[in-house]
Amino acid sequence: MRYKPGASCLASLSVADAAGPPDAYAIAFADSHAEKLANIVDRAEVGQCDIDRESNIVVWRAPFDRRLPSLAKLVDVGSGLLGRLLPEAFDDRPVQLAGLRYKPERRFVARIDRGDSAAAVVKLYSQQGYQTAWRASKSLAGLPTASRQCPVGHSSRHGAIAYDWAPGVAITDWRAAAADAGPAVAALHGARAGKLPELTAATLIARLKPIAASLRWLVPQAGDAIDAAAARIAAMVAEVKPRRAVLHGDLHTEQFLAAEHGVNLIDFDRACLGPPEWDLANLRTDLWERVHGADGDSAWSAFLEAYRRVAPADTEAIAAFSAVRLFEQAINPFRLRHASWQEQLVARVADARRIVEPGRTCGVVSPRQPVPEDERLPWLAEACDPTTVSDAVAELLPGLAIDAAKLVRHKPGRRGIVYYQAASGAEGQASQIVGKTERKPRHHQRLKLQRLLWEADFHDQSADGVSVARPMGGLPQWNMWLQSHVEGLGGWGALDGDDAPAAARHAARAIAKLHATSLLVDKKHGFAEEAEILSDRLGEAASMAPELSRRIRRVRDHCLEMLAAQPAANSVLLHRDFYPDQLIYGEGRVTLLDLDLVCHGPAAIDVGNFTGHLVEMAIRTGNPARYDAVESAFVGEYLQTANSASPKAIEATKLATLARHLYISQTRKQRRQFTSDILANCERMMADRER
């Protein structure tokens, strides 16, 4: 939603696939602005929009948009507009257009596919947006970073620009990517460019006033707090030492792509000249907001360290600009229609001011994150409130104070993971704690298992360098148990590093150690259970991708027959969800994570699951052979260390794991493009088995 108090409100509408681009948008006008509705009525053509004159509401149906008049032409591949933008794209192969993003009345972004591969990306802008984007494209055309997405065609009449397709995939492990991402941004800041708009401290201070006015309108009872926060932020921004560099202008996590030879930056529509800390603050606040399943603070620290190896960065300037960004984003809970948007808006304003309070520096205290309402986890908001948690752990962990809490993973109605930033001792030594909560009261057994493993030589001083996280106690009022946060490099980062085979061998020894551990658990999981899950998932995948359904069912039938033919195997202590994300590497030690599914079963299930994930990730990077050496080192070390699984059983569960990703790729929009490649790899593995 976009809201102009007392004037109008625009809302995107999805009437079909809520996960895709909006299907329409609506604008409601105040009575005092009804003349704007009359202007729309006069200019719109029949069939473009629906109008309710009594309510002053107009609904535009895609692909019609009053500020993007060429949208209907663009999505019609036969209209000729694509041919004028990309004359070389139209050869004997069919051209298709796939919508990626649509912001009504602002911008439409689509991928151009030629045959089976992406050829370009085309963006359609409003008149003002086109002028800004085209000026940036021309000014940055000579930069090495920017040249990775160079304009290849444009139309001023239609407000459209076509760019080369930038290779790469979304970054999933920000700590691992920091070594490339930091220098890439520093290189951009050190470059020279032509004429670009200026971003100054005065510009940012001027932006605070209208933002504060909108926030006061929405939550008038918090007006004094909003004005005080705006004044404090403005005062700190005014103290920032002026610096001038080429900026991305809209730097956030989705503007980076992990490519074969490093990191690519994309989308320079808002490029400008200004203090480099503005870009860094944009990324900092986005990491606070978006990074899930990883510690945003650690990811930021790794990025900033890599950046500073190339270029300087002022911590106080980052803090001031981070406060500006948080203040600007305080309206987001309203825009996204959160049920508790008023409380969240006020909390965000307080977080923005807290960052620039005297004595604070950027990164000391992360802003509070809006906590979604969950009827089956009604205690989630309490478990994410630092003051409440401090009181709850007072007896459990004496002397510990919780400074900040962040919900990093949430499966509605089922479970959540909260990261706590804590301080203890007279000097306020910082530490981090992970809290895991579930709808069902399983925290006692989870904590008991973790303690048993810790005591069974999985502690952080074990001679073999294999550990689990230290168990720290339980909070039964929230069905939660606590463990220490483990610092280090994520599994994928280690397996992409300079010593990847050694990391793979360490992973093999870690899972072999778990398999050799004698602990009694109630659950069992064998090949029959694997087959049952796979049958269900691939049946759904076939329904989701009807054009591939025959081939998917053939893979399913092959896997079910293969699993049924596996001979009986010795039962070991299984992780049951073992893949690189479940490992943290640091200083000669590897830590096993997420042991919630531990059970007894055939060792090949864990080993094959790990190798199947290696194949799937390699497919997503565009280099199917990327982890061949890693897989060889992992399997070789496991077979040498343990005698619990046969090579044939490992290959069978590897194929079953890869096949299961046919379903996963269909349920996640950003992965659907890989379904065909995963399927083709499954078929090749089937053919190899039949030889």
Side-chain angles (χ1 to χ4, degrees), residues 399-631:
L400 199 70
I402 303 299
D403 284 340
K406 181 178 181 181
L407 181 67
V408 296
R409 190 172 299 166
H410 178 219
K411 291 197 173 182
R414 296 174 61 188
R415 58 182 179 268
I417 298 178
V418 186
Y419 278 12
Y420 298 111
Q421 182 171 294
S424 61
E427 297 181 0
Q429 185 176 358
S431 62
Q432 290 186 315
I433 301 171
V434 180
K436 296 187 175 185
T437 180
E438 296 184 64
R439 178 173 65 89
K440 296 182 179 180
R442 296 170 174 155
H443 54 287
H444 290 300
Q445 63 193 68
R446 306 283 196 227
L447 180 60
K448 179 182 177 181
L449 173 66
Q450 196 83 353
R451 281 176 171 161
L452 288 172
L453 285 169
W454 181 266
E455 293 165 1
D457 198 39
F458 280 87
H459 53 81
D460 56 10
Q461 299 298 318
S462 59
D464 57 12
V466 177
S467 306
V468 296
R470 178 191 294 272
M472 301 185 72
L475 298 172
Q477 66 270 39
W478 301 324
N479 289 354
M480 177 180 279
W481 67 280
L482 305 173
Q483 66 178 33
S484 64
H485 171 71
V486 181
E487 286 289 342
L489 183 63
W492 287 115
L495 297 177
D496 274 322
D498 296 335
D499 207 2
R505 288 190 288 270
H506 205 164
R509 293 192 296 273
I511 196 62
K513 179 179 178 178
L514 183 69
H515 290 171
T517 302
S518 298
L519 288 182
L520 293 177
V521 293
D522 295 333
K523 292 184 180 180
K524 294 183 179 180
H525 184 89
F527 295 124
E529 288 75 18
E530 283 285 291
E532 183 179 353
I533 294 171
L534 190 63
S535 178
D536 177 64
R537 298 294 187 269
L538 292 193
E540 292 188 43
S543 300
M544 294 175 181
E547 72 281 6
L548 303 174
S549 60
R550 181 185 60 80
R551 294 169 62 194
I552 291 174
R553 290 191 180 98
R554 180 172 173 268
V555 170
R556 177 196 62 187
D557 294 345
H558 179 95
C559 289
L560 296 183
E561 181 180 339
M562 174 187 66
L563 291 171
Q566 292 304 310
N570 292 333
S571 185
V572 302
L573 192 66
L574 285 183
H575 185 288
R576 233 215 86 192
D577 190 25
F578 184 60
Y579 68 108
D581 270 337
Q582 309 293 31
L583 299 169
I584 294 289
Y585 289 81
E587 298 183 359
R589 181 165 298 278
V590 64
T591 302
L592 288 166
L593 305 177
D594 293 343
L595 294 135
D596 297 344
L597 298 180
V598 163
C599 59
H600 287 295
I605 289 177
D606 275 348
V607 183
N609 191 68
F610 192 91
T611 56
H613 274 82
L614 292 177
V615 176
E616 189 271 341
M617 179 60 83
I619 291 170
R620 279 197 277 142
T621 66
N623 179 10
R626 180 168 184 158
Y627 296 110
D628 285 358
V630 168
E631 180 181 346

Side-chain angles (χ1 to χ4, degrees), residues 33-45:
H33 288 68
E35 74 280 358
K36 292 187 178 181
L37 183 67
N39 290 337
I40 292 174
V41 173
D42 292 341
R43 296 179 182 180
E45 297 180 10

Side-chain angles (χ1 to χ4, degrees), residues 222-541:
D224 291 344
I226 290 168
D227 288 341
R232 176 63 195 147
I233 294 168
M236 189 165 181
V237 170
E239 295 174 3
V240 172
K241 183 179 179 180
R243 294 179 64 195
R244 196 168 183 266
V246 175
L247 304 186
H248 183 281
D250 187 26
L251 196 67
H252 55 74
T253 52
E254 294 184 358
Q255 308 289 35
F256 294 80
L257 296 177
E260 186 174 354
H261 300 294
V263 167
N264 286 343
L265 281 168
I266 60 172
D267 197 0
F268 289 83
D269 294 347
R270 298 185 192 177
C272 57
L273 298 175
E277 289 82 6
W278 175 249
D279 268 352
L280 303 182
N282 272 263
L283 181 61
R284 179 67 183 103
T285 53
D286 194 59
L287 284 169
W288 270 328
E289 187 81 19
R290 296 199 204 192
V291 171
H292 299 291
D295 184 357
D297 288 324
S298 295
W300 163 249
S301 297
F303 171 87
L304 187 60
E305 181 182 354
Y307 177 94
R308 280 176 164 159
R309 294 193 195 107
V310 181
D314 184 337
T315 299
E316 293 300 319
I318 296 172
F321 296 147
S322 295
V324 173
R325 288 299 294 150
L326 285 173
F327 195 72
E328 289 180 331
Q329 294 167 356
I331 200 171
N332 284 353
F334 167 78
R335 291 184 58 249
L336 300 175
R337 308 176 314 285
H338 290 187
S340 58
W341 63 266
Q342 288 181 307
E343 293 84 354
Q344 292 182 31
L345 185 155
V346 173
R348 289 192 178 206
V349 170
D351 289 333
R353 178 170 181 175
R354 208 159 46 118
I355 291 175
V356 293
E357 286 295 339
R360 291 289 190 192
T361 56
C362 188
V364 172
V365 179
S366 300
R368 284 167 289 181
Q369 180 191 39
V371 180
E373 294 185 359
D374 191 326
E375 292 182 358
R376 294 191 172 188
L377 299 174
W379 54 80
L380 206 54
E382 285 186 357
C384 292
D385 179 71
T387 303
T388 305
V389 179
S390 288
D391 293 340
V393 302
E395 294 184 11
L396 183 67
L397 303 168
L400 199 70
I402 303 299
D403 284 340
K406 181 178 181 181
L407 181 67
V408 296
R409 190 172 299 166
H410 178 219
K411 291 197 173 182
R414 296 174 61 188
R415 58 182 179 268
I417 298 178
V418 186
Y419 278 12
Y420 298 111
Q421 182 171 294
S424 61
E427 297 181 0
Q429 185 176 358
S431 62
Q432 290 186 315
I433 301 171
V434 180
K436 296 187 175 185
T437 180
E438 296 184 64
R439 178 173 65 89
K440 296 182 179 180
R442 296 170 174 155
H443 54 287
H444 290 300
Q445 63 193 68
R446 306 283 196 227
L447 180 60
K448 179 182 177 181
L449 173 66
Q450 196 83 353
R451 281 176 171 161
L452 288 172
L453 285 169
W454 181 266
E455 293 165 1
D457 198 39
F458 280 87
H459 53 81
D460 56 10
Q461 299 298 318
S462 59
D464 57 12
V466 177
S467 306
V468 296
R470 178 191 294 272
M472 301 185 72
L475 298 172
Q477 66 270 39
W478 301 324
N479 289 354
M480 177 180 279
W481 67 280
L482 305 173
Q483 66 178 33
S484 64
H485 171 71
V486 181
E487 286 289 342
L489 183 63
W492 287 115
L495 297 177
D496 274 322
D498 296 335
D499 207 2
R505 288 190 288 270
H506 205 164
R509 293 192 296 273
I511 196 62
K513 179 179 178 178
L514 183 69
H515 290 171
T517 302
S518 298
L519 288 182
L520 293 177
V521 293
D522 295 333
K523 292 184 180 180
K524 294 183 179 180
H525 184 89
F527 295 124
E529 288 75 18
E530 283 285 291
E532 183 179 353
I533 294 171
L534 190 63
S535 178
D536 177 64
R537 298 294 187 269
L538 292 193
E540 292 188 43

Side-chain angles (χ1 to χ4, degrees), residues 57-72:
I57 294 175
V58 57
V59 178
W60 290 82
R61 299 176 178 273
F64 301 107
D65 186 308
R66 67 170 182 155
R67 303 289 190 200
L68 305 178
S70 296
L71 180 57

